Amino acid sequence: MRILYCIYQLFVVLPVIVLITIITAIEVGVGCAIGDGHFWGYYPGRWWAQIITRIFLLPVHVEGREHLEPNQSYVFVANHQGAFDIFLIYGFLGRNFKWMMKYQLNKIPFVGYACRHSHQIFVDKRGVSKIKKTYDDARNILEHANCSVVVFPEGARSFTGHMGAFKKGAFMLADELQLPVVPLTINGSFDVMPRMKDWHFAHWHPLSLTIHQPVYPIGQGPQNIQATMNQAYDSVMSALEPKYQGFVENPDQ
């Protein structure tokens, strides 16, 4: 079955992914230029992610959507197990949001084009002015666009499936705007495609997304930032599969 699944990926999945990525990028670019950027910046990407997940034949389970309030902006924070985290969150979270992503992703053909035109937030740490622009962009979306943001506060994918340390940036943003933080736990993504230096075939494995209860601010300032970060970290960790429980330092952070 493993050999058949690899053949299926090579001759069916790969061509479909290339085709729908090109179509989605063009759709997002044109849609955002002439229509409602709030719609075109989210829904084509959501459908793209759902199609990719389904064409890999991966079952998806989501729980906790009842914890989210309509018309409320959130700062979502998730563990970063692997490449399929993107498809799982984009396709199945069920909220309009913008990504806070590494600026290097801007260089990926078609994907970078779609991200630029849909006003995703590129995190660029190459100087104070670029860092300030990152926060200004995120602040503007959260304050004025009735939209949320999704952040991987570990900053990099796991090499082991375990969680590394959280960085404070997302929690500082939530503290400044007094917004609730929603922890997300991803399971299965590392098993589908563990992080390696070279491209490799995906493994069949179920994916799950757990949406935890929002963590509301208890004040404003360093104490609130640290308390929110600690609570979010503990929530994400609590729903991880037992084999991935526990902190493991990520050398890429």
Side-chain angles (χ1 to χ4, degrees):
M1 290 299 292
R2 173 64 182 161
I3 295 176
L4 289 176
Y5 191 46
C6 290
I7 293 173
Y8 168 74
Q9 290 179 56
L10 185 61
F11 291 103
V12 178
V13 175
L14 184 58
V16 171
I17 288 178
V18 172
L19 179 61
I20 66 169
T21 298
I22 294 173
I23 293 173
T24 301
I26 295 172
E27 186 179 19
V28 169
V30 173
C32 289
I34 65 175
D36 181 3
H38 195 57
F39 176 91
W40 291 103
Y42 169 66
Y43 285 98
R46 179 184 179 184
W47 299 326
W48 168 81
Q50 290 177 350
I51 291 170
I52 290 177
T53 306
R54 297 308 189 193
I55 201 171
F56 272 101
L57 310 178
L58 303 174
V60 173
H61 174 72
V62 180
E63 59 179 297
R65 286 201 187 104
E66 68 276 7
H67 296 147
L68 304 179
E69 297 290 338
N71 302 317
Q72 170 67 56
S73 294
Y74 294 106
V75 177
F76 292 98
V77 295
N79 60 312
H80 205 358
Q81 277 202 338
F84 276 75
D85 300 344
I86 305 297
F87 308 130
L88 182 60
I89 293 176
Y90 217 163
F92 301 95
L93 178 60
R95 299 288 291 211
N96 198 323
F97 67 86
K98 302 295 183 185
W99 292 102
M100 291 187 71
M101 58 178 64
K102 291 183 177 180
Y103 76 92
Q104 292 92 333
L105 297 177
N106 182 39
K107 300 177 181 179
I108 299 177
F110 295 103
V111 172
Y113 170 84
C115 290
R116 289 193 303 274
H117 282 75
S118 58
H119 304 291
Q120 307 300 326
I121 304 163
F122 292 104
V123 180
D124 192 339
K125 300 179 181 178
R126 297 174 299 172
V128 175
S129 63
K130 295 184 182 295
I131 294 174
K132 182 178 183 301
K133 184 180 185 308
T134 296
Y135 279 92
D136 288 345
D137 290 344
R139 186 184 302 109
N140 183 63
I141 286 170
L142 288 166
E143 285 184 324
H144 305 297
N146 188 27
C147 194
S148 298
V149 297
V150 173
V151 187
F152 295 114
E154 293 169 271
R157 287 172 291 157
S158 171
F159 283 100
T160 64
H162 294 76
M163 283 171 58
F166 276 5
K167 299 179 180 178
K168 290 185 177 180
F171 305 97
M172 293 171 65
L173 180 65
D175 175 75
E176 179 184 343
L177 300 178
Q178 289 291 281
L179 290 174
V181 171
V182 178
L184 305 173
T185 300
I186 293 169
N187 280 300
S189 179
F190 184 79
D191 299 276
V192 171
M193 189 173 283
R195 184 174 182 182
M196 300 172 70
K197 293 183 179 179
D198 54 350
W199 186 89
H200 58 98
F201 289 102
H203 301 265
W204 187 92
H205 194 281
L207 296 169
S208 72
L209 176 66
T210 302
I211 304 169
H212 297 274
Q213 292 187 0
V215 181
Y216 288 91
I218 57 172
Q220 192 166 23
Q223 184 176 357
N224 177 60
I225 294 169
Q226 190 64 49
T228 303
M229 185 170 69
N230 291 344
Q231 188 173 342
Y233 190 93
D234 290 343
S235 294
V236 176
M237 181 72 77
S238 70
L240 279 175
E241 294 180 38
K243 63 182 177 180
Y244 296 127
Q245 290 278 341
F247 168 80
V248 173
E249 185 176 1
N250 186 342
D252 198 26
Q253 286 192 315

